[in-house]
Each structure stands twice: as C-alpha cells, then as structure tokens.
Amino acid sequence: MWIANNWKDYEVLDTSSGEKLERWGKYILVRPDPQVIWETPHGHEGWRKKNGHYHRSAKGGGEWEFFNLPDEWTVSYPLPCLRDRKAETSRENRLTFHLKPFSFKHTGLFPEQAANWDWFSELIDSAMHSDGSRPGTGRFSVERPVKVLNLFAYTGGATLAAAAAGAQVTHVDASKGMVGWARENAVSSGLGDAPIRWLVDDCVKFVEREIRRGNRYDGIIMDPPSYGRGPRGEVWKIEESIWPFLNLTRQLLSEDALFFLINSYTTGLQPAVLSYMTNTVLTSSLGGRAAADEIGLPVTGSGLILPCGASCRWTAK
C-alpha cells in the first residue's frame, strides 16, 4: 500500500461505525467513510469536541452540522522534492490549500493523494535536474522541460505538486468553480505565476482536440469520478468510460514520457484491474512498467492504515 504519511496539517485521529475523525489544521471533522465497517470505542476526545460533522441521510445525501468551524481555512503540505529548494527559488517549499465544507461531505482536498504527489514530483524533479546536482550546491541547472496534463483535476492538488516540482501543467476540469478554487490554491502556494494552463472543459472532448492538434505530454494524471457530467451534459460512467478513455489519452504521451497515473475510488476498479488495463494499453506498446496498489492514510489512534482507493503508476523506466 502507498501511504500518505508526510502530512503535518492533516491526520486521521480515529475511525469507527462508518465514520472517520480527522484533524484538518486545528479543526476536527467527523465524516462518513464506507470502508469503516468496524465498531470500536470512541475513545478520542475529538469525537466530543468536533468542529464539524457530516450526517448521512438514509434517503441519500446528508448535511453538515457545525460547531465553531469557519467558512474557510487553509492547510499546508511539505512537498518532499522542495525541502532543499529554497536556496534556488523564491517559491514556497510547501503547498497551501483552501478548505471549506461543501456538498456530500467534501472539503476540497483528498489528502491520501499526497502519496502520489510525492511520487511524481520526484520523477519530475529528477528529470529536470538530471545532471546529478542538487539544490543548494551552486550547480543547479534545468536539464529538460516537462509537460504534465492533469485531467479531472478538481481543486488542483496534483497540479500544484507538478508545478512546484517545475513542470508546465495543463489543468482540465469540467467545473468552473473547481478550476477557480484551484487557482486560489495556486496563488496561496506561491504558484500564481507558474506555467499552468487553466481550462474548464470536458476531459474527453479536450483530449480528442489535443490529439488532433498534435500536442504531447511527458506526464499524464487522471482522477476520474465514478459518475459525472460535462459542461454540456456529457455523461461519464467510469465502468463504461475508463477503458476507451485510457486508449484515447495514451496517444498524448510524448516520446520521452515519464509517467502515467490513474486514480480510482470505485470499488469495482481494484488495483489488479487498473494494472491489467495499464499494462494492456501502455506497457505492451511503450515498454516501461506499471505498478498498482491501494493508497491509504495512517490512523493515529490505532496505528493502522485506512484504505482510501487505488492507483496505478506507469513509468517509462
């Protein structure tokens, strides 16, 4: 399992009875989690001193209950590849995200994805500075530009991680509100002037146009929803759409491609399924290797790991 264990501003404090107790900065939230099928004592004091609680409804959906929770606040993440970069750049050595509780339990961030941010930001950093020098040595030089495409990009966690590592990023999401939110996160992270192209578009239509234009990318990230609609009502159902979309998007990889990342929160798309698809579409024709696994978050109260979905990582080497 790939574990997002570098957080300072976020942690899962405890889990029980279909819910997880989380610390987001200095605020405590209780949110539903379908993976939590066990019932353990609510021993952590956070269960009683929470700032927000999302209650599921038996009829579907649910609603928030608040206890001294602000409308919006921020958390930061220390991206590993930036730890020694301060000597070479004026950018911050951390990513900063605006959070706010909104529809269906969400806050605007999936913290478990930090495990993938760490992985591909290191790949980008190594490709761009492959002369063996490290920041702070006085021999820091850019070896090659890296272009990254982030599809279904949400509020920009992966976009910011790639941009902070030095990539030129194209950020695509069908929601205008989410793209605006991502741009706010970029400014707060010191990446307001980074080479990021922000696009409100249907991801399938965008990829089709990029193929016709002849554009290519060194890294591709996709975090497709289980179900969604594009800005013109286009329907996306992951079980029906992911296979043809993977075949389509593969055409955008450059000759010197670094990586391809697929994320899934759908229980039917287990790591082995993601691996089979990726090996069939990418490894069989391009070589390289694909590895798939669950991603997870450590739980402070138990010392165990909470599973949070699956990812498949393809690399050219």
Side-chain angles (χ1 to χ4, degrees):
M1 181 181 287
W2 294 316
I3 303 170
N5 55 7
N6 287 321
W7 280 99
K8 301 294 188 294
D9 279 1
Y10 172 86
E11 63 180 319
V12 180
L13 300 170
D14 198 7
T15 60
S16 181
S17 304
E19 295 180 316
K20 55 188 174 185
L21 179 71
E22 305 167 289
R23 178 181 64 84
W24 298 81
K26 64 179 181 180
Y27 300 105
I28 306 297
L29 301 182
V30 177
R31 298 192 300 156
D33 191 311
Q35 299 286 352
V36 182
I37 61 174
W38 48 87
E39 296 183 10
T40 52
H42 287 58
H44 195 286
E45 66 176 1
W47 292 109
R48 297 175 293 280
K49 297 182 178 180
K50 53 189 176 289
N51 298 103
H53 191 169
Y54 188 88
H55 299 279
R56 290 292 302 271
S57 170
K59 298 180 180 179
E63 62 179 1
W64 282 97
E65 181 182 15
F66 300 121
F67 311 90
N68 298 316
L69 184 71
D71 293 336
E72 185 174 314
W73 72 101
T74 62
V75 296
S76 295
Y77 182 72
L79 200 65
C81 76
L82 301 182
R83 286 171 182 162
D84 300 319
R85 188 70 63 79
K86 290 291 284 184
E88 304 294 339
T89 179
S90 60
R91 290 178 180 167
E92 296 289 336
N93 61 354
R94 64 185 185 275
L95 307 178
T96 299
F97 303 100
H98 292 259
L99 305 178
K100 51 189 174 185
F102 70 111
S103 61
F104 192 62
K105 77 179 182 180
H106 295 304
T107 64
L109 187 65
F110 292 96
E112 64 274 6
Q113 285 299 323
N116 286 322
W117 305 342
D118 294 350
W119 169 72
F120 65 69
S121 64
E122 292 284 2
L123 286 176
I124 293 167
D125 185 65
S126 296
M128 294 188 65
H129 312 104
S130 58
D131 58 355
S133 64
R134 296 304 304 160
T137 65
R139 296 181 290 111
F140 187 63
S141 61
V142 173
E143 193 75 10
R144 59 168 284 193
V146 175
K147 293 177 60 179
V148 172
L149 173 62
N150 187 13
L151 298 166
F152 310 98
Y154 196 51
T155 59
T159 293
L160 302 189
Q168 302 168 21
V169 186
T170 298
H171 173 111
V172 186
D173 196 276
S175 169
K176 182 178 180 180
M178 292 301 161
V179 174
W181 194 338
R183 297 186 74 158
E184 292 178 8
N185 288 336
V187 171
S188 297
S189 299
L191 295 165
D193 296 324
I196 303 173
R197 188 163 57 135
W198 305 100
L199 299 174
V200 179
D201 205 344
D202 175 76
C203 289
V204 177
K205 300 296 185 185
F206 173 78
V207 169
E208 291 172 340
R209 289 196 300 273
E210 287 291 88
I211 293 171
R212 293 195 295 269
R213 294 169 183 145
N215 289 333
R216 298 295 181 266
Y217 296 88
D218 305 302
I220 296 177
I221 302 161
M222 62 168 69
D223 198 351
S226 297
Y227 178 86
R229 290 186 178 273
R232 296 179 179 84
E234 302 90 343
V235 175
W236 170 277
K237 294 181 180 179
I238 193 167
E239 294 87 352
E240 301 174 3
S241 304
I242 189 63
W243 172 251
F245 188 59
L246 179 58
N247 278 279
L248 191 69
T249 307
R250 170 255 180 274
Q251 300 175 56
L252 293 180
L253 283 173
S254 69
E255 292 184 358
D256 298 319
L258 291 175
F259 69 90
F260 199 113
L261 171 67
I262 306 175
N263 294 309
S264 173
Y265 296 94
T266 302
T267 55
L269 297 183
Q270 298 295 326
V273 175
L274 296 177
S275 178
Y276 198 104
M277 290 194 302
T278 305
N279 277 308
T280 302
V281 175
L282 299 179
T283 310
S284 62
S285 59
L286 302 178
R289 62 184 299 270
D293 208 338
E294 291 182 288
I295 53 175
L297 289 162
V299 180
T300 305
S302 65
L304 302 177
I305 304 299
L306 178 66
C308 302
S311 296
C312 187
R313 303 168 175 178
W314 174 87
T315 53
K317 297 181 180 179

